[in-house]
Amino acid sequence: MKDVAEICSDLIRFDTTNPGPGERPAAEYVATLLADAGLEPVVFESAPRRTTVVARMAGDSPDALLIHGHLDVVPADPAEWRLPPFSGEIADGCVHGRGAVDMKGSCAMTLATVLGMRARGQRPKRDVVLAFLADEEATGDYGSRHAVSEHRELFDGVTQAISESGGFSVDAGGHRVYPVAVGERGTAWMKLTAHGVAGHGSKPAADNPVATLAHALSRVAAHQWPVRLTPSVAALIQRLGEITGQPVDLDRLDAEAARLGPLGQLFQGQIRNSANPTMLNAGYKVNVIPSSAEAHVDGRYLPGQREEFLETLDELLGPKITREFVNLEDAPAAPYPSSFFDELAGSLVAEDPLARPVPYVMSGGTDAKSFARIGIEGYGFAPLMLRPDLDYFGMFHGKDERVPVAGLEFGTRVLTRLLT
């Protein structure tokens, strides 16, 4: 039976860059492992080579838990990496390559857990649905959205789900904190357009859309979004104060985040809405004022803040800018406190007595948004014990991505405890 590091290495060697060649080879590998373990994987495609695998492992209760992960990865430039990004090389106690953290390492932990349980004849305490999805690194149209709309029956009986990004250790000042995600910010990716009057670049502009758009984007980029503490983020901040023995000053959260270092990163991007200009497109010749200009903005809003976010954004943009959504997803929130959160926390503490689980809200987004549409409560829980010198947040979409072998083995033990 393959161990977790070997599975992770194998998965990384499949180039599943999105956009790119598709997830099919990796999905076929996953399906083969599951079938060899006696499960009956369902493999389907939303488009050629955009492949997803779903399987169900019967347990003692039909109240099912979903474990989902994505097989696609973001691009990687080999020239920027110390080791080839799709080598899957195991060196220095780590598995190296694109997707090691986001999130083929987590998929490997899920697979190793299931394979180990099947080999030992262990039956989970509840049904477990396993989903290995396409297209998370884009909109999910070819992955989770397609799965819940076209293959809804595969998720019958599922009440809760776990996936990225949570359950990892954060070492700071002798404390080992494990954030468990109970929600994430909503997504509002927008295309902005300014219309104006085309003309010669040498003459006074009647209505230059490039300038109009530039001014609007400057207002958006300079805006200081107000602090909005959701209950879960407030609970996180309170717990961090209790763990460190020094209460966090709610009136100066930015300074407190800096003071707390890695622990501060757990709430620094989760106390506000945000909007970042990311793409620009205007004009076709240096001496021609174009009739329109376009930009894209990555907007994120906290649970319950969608209306306020959009109203503020429209004020910043002004009446001459039109916007349309490229991707709009609500901000899902799972119950906290809850008995299931306690189960997740308990499985961590059982493997690491020094673990201090805390609630957490992700600043970005995951496939949990799609599953929330069909009533599944999503928690970020991909357990991983990390070395203190590893910048976990920097690994996401960064160069030289890698994951410790010992961390993967720890996560496999935690998942086994959770399921049994």
Side-chain angles (χ1 to χ4, degrees), residues 83-416:
L83 297 173
F86 297 104
S87 66
E89 185 171 336
I90 301 175
D92 306 319
C94 291
V95 185
H96 295 252
R98 175 59 84 216
V101 166
D102 186 16
M103 64 172 297
K104 289 179 176 178
S106 299
C107 291
M109 289 192 299
T110 300
L111 288 165
T113 298
V114 170
L115 297 182
M117 289 177 61
R118 300 290 288 184
R120 294 186 296 269
Q122 290 177 294
R123 183 179 175 90
K125 59 189 175 185
R126 59 194 290 197
D127 280 10
V128 178
V129 176
L130 310 164
F132 301 86
L133 300 152
D135 199 38
E136 191 274 344
E137 295 293 1
T139 61
D141 283 341
Y142 294 106
S144 59
R145 290 182 182 177
H146 175 82
V148 300
S149 63
E150 302 300 322
H151 299 274
R152 172 66 182 82
E153 72 285 353
L154 296 177
F155 307 99
D156 286 349
V158 174
T159 55
Q160 290 138 343
I162 59 172
S163 187
E164 59 178 345
S165 160
F168 54 91
S169 64
V170 180
D171 283 66
H175 306 287
R176 195 146 60 224
V177 173
Y178 287 82
V180 176
V182 297
E184 55 191 61
R185 294 197 299 174
T187 301
W189 293 346
M190 291 164 283
K191 176 184 175 183
L192 310 180
T193 305
H195 295 283
V197 178
H200 200 288
S202 67
K203 299 183 179 298
D207 186 5
N208 187 333
V210 177
T212 299
L213 184 62
H215 291 314
L217 292 177
S218 179
R219 291 192 296 271
V220 170
H223 181 66
Q224 181 67 23
W225 293 85
V227 171
R228 294 288 184 262
L229 277 186
T230 62
S232 296
V233 175
L236 162 66
I237 292 172
Q238 180 180 343
R239 283 288 294 129
L240 292 179
E242 294 168 352
I243 291 168
T244 60
Q246 184 173 348
V248 177
D249 187 344
L250 298 181
D251 293 326
R252 50 192 302 274
L253 284 175
D254 293 308
E256 291 287 70
R259 173 180 69 82
L260 288 167
L263 293 180
Q265 292 184 51
L266 299 180
F267 65 81
Q268 187 175 34
Q270 291 85 340
I271 57 176
R272 296 183 175 90
N273 302 322
S274 66
N276 284 309
T278 54
M279 296 169 63
L280 285 168
N281 182 36
Y284 54 90
K285 200 169 187 293
V286 68
N287 61 344
V288 176
I289 297 171
S291 61
S292 66
E294 297 176 351
H296 284 74
V297 168
D298 182 344
R300 309 282 176 150
Y301 59 92
L302 290 160
Q305 293 291 311
R306 174 170 162 177
E307 191 171 321
E308 178 182 308
F309 168 77
L310 293 176
E311 287 176 356
T312 301
L313 190 69
D314 285 340
E315 291 175 6
L316 293 170
L317 293 175
K320 298 183 72 173
I321 305 293
T322 60
R323 61 171 170 81
E324 58 184 290
F325 292 113
V326 176
N327 186 32
L328 179 64
E329 286 277 15
D330 282 333
Y336 175 81
S338 70
S339 59
F340 185 62
F341 183 93
D342 292 342
E343 282 187 54
L344 299 174
S347 64
L348 285 167
V349 174
E351 286 297 327
D352 179 8
L354 298 180
R356 298 294 181 265
V358 296
Y360 171 63
V361 174
M362 285 178 272
S363 62
T366 74
D367 282 326
K369 288 179 166 62
S370 295
F371 293 108
R373 294 181 179 185
I374 58 173
I376 298 174
E377 300 168 350
Y379 291 80
F381 189 75
L384 197 64
M385 184 185 286
L386 297 168
R387 300 191 315 225
D389 63 333
L390 186 67
D391 180 7
Y392 179 73
F393 291 110
M395 294 293 102
F396 281 82
H397 300 185
K399 63 182 182 180
D400 295 330
E401 187 179 350
R402 60 200 182 277
V403 64
V405 172
L408 294 173
E409 293 169 345
F410 168 83
T412 302
R413 295 193 301 271
V414 172
L415 288 176
T416 301

Side-chain angles (χ1 to χ4, degrees), residues 19-62:
E23 299 83 1
R24 183 173 176 176
E28 290 175 342
Y29 171 86
V30 168
T32 298
L33 289 181
L34 295 174
D36 288 346
L39 300 179
E40 298 179 358
V42 178
V43 181
F44 55 87
E45 292 191 335
S46 53
R49 301 183 67 81
R50 306 311 307 272
T51 316
T52 288
V53 181
V54 179
R56 183 179 290 255
M57 183 166 59
D60 295 330
S61 169

